[in-house]
């Protein structure tokens, strides 16, 4: 395969100056200008030679250039801020039709028809040659990963193509939560939700000073490879509700969170969960293993199947 590289281009700093692309602090925009660093980020996505890639929030296009230089066959970028469109269009011309620019909001964007249908693989196969990458504002990346994890568990959205891999950035503390193992003080709802569906890696940390303007925090680059067999094979919303309830009382015994799943007068159902699973109700949430969550979710699922309307009960 021919390795496609971009022709020489103005630097990202020049692009920002030429097109007057001042970062909007209220939109939490922080740019990466160093192409060695964007190359490093993109390397962690794996081999992109001939790949089909979707990048969210390209901004002035640093990561975009690195993806193209790594030989991606096609790259779709989705950018919400229209100020970036002229400079991205300039990049399109340099990229010989490999780049498509979409002005849109990734939270509303439908990916089900964005890639050629013949790239689809079955769930048990190796991941398709499709990758999602993005350095988004933190207030977007966390709700987005939750949304994508749900799509992943339903095999919808980008996952109708199979086990599509993702590489995204998060505030460093969120990255640590995503990968936190049992007993780690950062273990949280995000750890369980991500790890029961994906192999999650905190690839490396980018110091805040690498961005322009510098954010107040450091940034973690995290990769997600969907598991062929989820560790908790139950509907996403049910798993999310149990895990959220347990970690809502993270400093208390885990029994406290389970109690909140049921009306006060039905604490027999809380007893049932601990009897069926044989989990110690005085364990702290961060000490529960993935298998403990799996057992609890199944016990909760069985109760919800048996008692109509129980899943809709909401504490408070
Ligand atoms: N990726 C570029 C980089 O690394 O230099 C820009 C990073 S900046 C932190 C985030 C970018 O995401 C901005 O260009 C912003 O306009 C864009 N963005 C924010 N919310 C978005 C959304 N919901 N959909 C698409 N793009 C979004």
């Amino acid at each position: 395969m021919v390795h496609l590289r971009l022709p020489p281009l103005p630097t990202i700093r020049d692009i920002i100056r030429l097109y007057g692309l001042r970062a909007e602090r209220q939109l939490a925009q922080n740019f990466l200008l160093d192409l060695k660093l964007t190359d490093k980020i993109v390397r962690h996505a794996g081999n992109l030679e001939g790949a089909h890639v979707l990048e969210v929030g390209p901004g002035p296009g640093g990561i975009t250039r690195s993806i193209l230089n790594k030989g991606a066959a096609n790259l779709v970028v989705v950018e919400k801020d229209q100020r970036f469109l002229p400079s991205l269009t300039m990049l399109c011309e340099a990229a010989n039709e490999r780049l498509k620019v979409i002005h849109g909001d990734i939270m509303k964007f439908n990916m089900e028809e964005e890639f050629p249908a013949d790239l689809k693989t079955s769930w048990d196969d190796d991941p398709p040659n499709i990758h999602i990458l993005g350095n988004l504002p933190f207030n977007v990346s966390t709700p987005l990963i939750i949304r994508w994890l749900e799509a992943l568990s339903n095999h919808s959205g980008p996952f109708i193509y199979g086990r599509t891999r993702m590489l995204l950035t998060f505030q460093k503390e969120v990255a640590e939560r995503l990968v936190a193992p049992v007993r780690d003080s950062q273990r949280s709802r995000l750890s369980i939700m991500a790890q029961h569906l994906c192999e999650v890696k905190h690839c490396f940390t980018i110091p805040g000073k690498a961005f322009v303007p510098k954010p107040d925090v450091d940034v973690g680059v995290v990769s997600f490879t969907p598991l062929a067999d989820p560790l908790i094979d139950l509907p996403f919303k049910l798993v999310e509700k149990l895990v959220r309830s347990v970690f809502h009382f993270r400093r208390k015994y885990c029994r406290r969170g389970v109690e909140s799943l049921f009306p006060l007068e039905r604490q027999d159902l809380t007893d049932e969960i601990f009897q069926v699973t044989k989990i110690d109700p005085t364990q702290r949430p961060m000490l529960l293993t993935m298998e403990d969550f799996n057992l609890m979710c199944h016990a909760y699922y069985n109760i919800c199947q048996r008692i109509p309307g129980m899943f809709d009960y909401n504490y408070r």
Side-chain angles (χ1 to χ4, degrees):
M1 185 172 306
V2 188
H3 190 85
L4 304 157
R5 284 196 72 86
L6 293 168
L9 292 165
T11 64
I12 299 288
R13 193 179 290 281
D14 286 341
I15 292 285
I16 290 172
R17 197 170 36 78
L18 287 169
Y19 290 87
L21 301 174
R22 234 166 33 89
E24 296 287 347
R25 264 200 187 272
Q26 64 271 38
L27 296 179
Q29 290 178 341
N30 310 95
F31 304 139
L32 287 168
L33 310 189
D34 176 358
L35 293 180
K36 286 205 192 80
L37 183 53
T38 56
D39 281 350
K40 179 173 174 186
I41 294 173
V42 170
R43 262 201 309 278
H44 281 273
N47 180 7
L48 297 189
E49 191 94 37
H52 293 249
V53 183
L54 184 129
E55 188 199 355
V56 287
I63 294 177
T64 320
R65 289 187 190 194
S66 294
I67 295 170
L68 291 165
N69 276 331
K70 285 276 174 290
N74 277 290
L75 169 60
V76 178
V77 295
V78 180
E79 173 55 61
K80 189 175 177 185
D81 183 342
Q82 62 177 0
R83 295 179 308 135
F84 294 108
L85 302 184
S87 60
L88 290 169
T89 304
M90 185 276 288
L91 195 53
C92 268
E93 282 155 23
N96 266 331
E97 305 189 353
R98 285 190 293 146
L99 174 62
K100 176 168 140 192
V101 179
I102 295 177
H103 178 212
D105 180 344
I106 193 62
M107 297 306 261
K108 300 182 186 146
F109 186 69
N110 176 5
M111 258 184 250
E112 299 206 345
E113 287 174 8
E114 214 35 71
F115 303 106
D118 62 4
L119 293 179
K120 283 186 188 173
T121 55
S122 85
W123 198 258
D124 299 331
D125 283 346
D126 288 341
N129 201 7
I130 298 175
H131 297 258
I132 297 175
L133 280 91
N135 170 34
L136 280 167
F138 307 132
N139 60 349
V140 181
S141 55
T142 306
L144 186 64
I145 192 62
I146 288 288
R147 179 175 296 214
W148 278 345
L149 289 171
E150 181 164 11
L152 192 163
S153 83
N154 301 327
H155 301 190
S156 65
F159 308 99
I160 64 161
Y161 295 91
R163 297 190 287 127
T164 301
R165 287 162 289 188
M166 302 176 277
L167 185 92
L168 299 166
T169 58
F170 299 87
Q171 182 174 331
K172 181 177 153 239
E173 290 71 19
V174 175
E176 287 170 353
R177 264 180 248 149
L178 282 162
V179 298
V182 65
R183 295 181 180 278
D184 188 303
S185 62
Q186 303 278 16
R187 184 86 154 169
S188 66
R189 174 184 72 121
L190 270 184
S191 330
I192 310 300
M193 295 316 292
Q195 293 169 31
H196 91 271
L197 291 165
C198 295
E199 184 189 344
V200 195
K201 281 193 193 144
H202 182 174
C203 304
F204 67 103
T205 298
I206 310 175
K209 66 178 191 302
F211 293 82
V212 178
K214 175 183 170 308
D216 297 330
V217 293
D218 294 334
V219 174
V221 178
V222 183
S223 70
F224 301 84
T225 305
L227 297 172
D229 297 309
L231 302 181
I232 309 177
D233 199 4
L234 283 172
F236 184 88
K237 286 209 160 34
L238 180 129
V239 178
E240 210 268 339
K241 187 166 181 184
L242 182 132
V243 172
R244 181 163 29 89
S245 303
V246 168
F247 280 103
H248 186 74
F249 299 95
R250 56 179 303 115
R251 293 185 198 290
K252 303 241 161 85
Y253 293 154
C254 65
R255 182 181 166 97
R256 180 68 195 92
V258 174
E259 277 170 1
S260 73
L261 290 167
F262 305 114
L264 270 181
E265 66 280 10
R266 293 303 316 262
Q267 290 314 306
D268 58 307
L269 298 174
T270 302
D271 296 338
E272 179 179 330
I273 294 225
F274 288 100
Q275 276 155 15
V276 169
T277 59
K278 301 192 170 50
I279 291 168
D280 174 0
T282 66
Q283 290 264 45
R284 308 283 169 183
M286 68 180 232
L287 298 181
L288 297 173
T289 62
M290 196 59 87
E291 182 52 13
D292 291 336
F293 277 106
N294 183 32
L295 292 170
M296 281 205 269
C297 285
H298 275 88
Y300 179 48
Y301 177 75
N302 289 338
I303 291 172
C304 293
Q305 291 291 96
R306 196 173 76 227
I307 309 178
M310 189 52 77
F311 180 69
D312 298 323
Y313 171 76
N314 271 316
Y315 173 74
R316 276 192 246 274

